[in-house]
Amino acid sequence: MTEIPQPSRSRPRPLRVLAAMSGGVDSAVAAARAAEAGHDVTGVHLALSANPQSFRTGARGCCTIEDSRDARRAADVIGIPFYVWDLADRFREDVVEDFVAEYEAGRTPNPCLRCNEKIKFAALLDKALALGFDAVATGHYARVVTLSDGTRELHRASDMAKDQSYVLGVLDDRQLAHAMFPLGDTVTTKEEIRAEAERRGLAVAKKPDSHDICFIADGDTRGFLANRLGRAEGDIVDESGSKVGTHEGAYGFTIGQRKGLRIGTPAPDGKPRYVLDISPVTNTVTVGPADALDVGALTAINPRWCGTAPTGPGTYTAQLRAHGDETEVTAELVDGTLEVSFTDPVRGVAPGQAIVLYAGTRVVGSATIATTSRTTRTPTAV
């Protein structure tokens, strides 16, 4: 089984592949590999900002005019047609506005996951299929495995250190059927990918990786939200409800946060305090000790399955954040809601995050965390 589907006897022609090219090294190498495999590849850069000059600061962000030019140069070297598609309005509505609304509601969203669901494998894929393309290729590190009956499964990348299957866990059967990840079987370091780009004559070989949230170029999420939601002073309280500090907007905090709390009153035991709860209704942030973050169960909504929805309770491993560890869970779909119990308690689980379930390396599906159940604690004597 190969990562890039090859023409079969029933399909003698090469696949028509639309390669999403961000202007970075991964997507450029992915497009080059797809073309080298014999597919009919066209490159496309997505213009996602109405003001593209604002989406990059140094190595942060993406989607600038600079990135568009880098992608075009890479396409020229590969020898494939290249276009720029304007999806700025769709990106603003489905990703940026969703991001702001989720924080305003006291939840912690993952915009990269939402972009894959709504932009790269929805808006982009729909347009690609309408134009007669067979697949969309991206530079994500994940694997698509084709079984003997022709069905497809999404699996972790061969190199776990670079695996990005978590942010692809929202892909459904239809989207997965037209997805291609040419880097997924690569067990190499990033430096080796850069070396490959250099061998291919791609100028992006030494370009810094983008990181953090692409539409918050300076990395200041709290400032970004304050500009859109306004500053709203509220109380920071402890578990007993006693005021221990103030804040300028509850939306600027996430469950499990330790830094940036600016609490003037030390805890009775002298230990650090963490954000335990965010109430947008009262504009209150509750803080407490680390062990108060332990979660034993959760419910998740809007499940999306990379295949047939599982029936009955099952044991899986789960990932709760893009670079988080796996943890064993029991999960069951009950009346459209995913009910999850953890074998061992986990910390820092926030509503709005995605939980992605795995069976070995196979992605079973994902859902959005709605509620969490904390474990019972024994009070610490002070």
Side-chain angles (χ1 to χ4, degrees), residues 17 109 118 138 146 168 170 172-173 224 254 262 267 273 297 311 345 359:
V17 176
K118 298 292 188 179
T138 71
T146 304
L168 297 168
V170 289
D172 59 23
D173 272 358
F224 174 86
T254 58
R262 292 176 292 184
R273 284 181 286 199
T311 57

Side-chain angles (χ1 to χ4, degrees), residues 190-261:
K190 187 58 177 278
E191 289 311 307
E192 288 172 309
I193 290 291
R194 293 188 181 281
E196 178 180 340
E198 193 162 10
R199 289 195 304 272
R200 293 179 181 276
L202 301 172
V204 292
K206 297 181 180 179
K207 184 176 180 179
D209 290 335
S210 62
H211 59 91
D212 296 322
I213 300 169
C214 71
F215 54 86
I216 306 179
D218 61 2
D220 181 10
T221 300
R222 184 177 292 181
F224 174 86
L225 292 169
N227 287 335
R228 283 153 179 78
L229 298 174
R231 300 187 184 277
E233 187 171 301
D235 293 339
I236 300 176
V237 301
D238 62 19
E239 291 179 281
S240 70
S242 299
K243 181 177 176 179
V244 295
T246 60
H247 62 76
E248 295 180 334
Y251 52 75
F253 298 85
T254 58
I255 302 296
Q257 180 178 335
R258 173 186 173 184
K259 296 181 179 180
L261 301 184

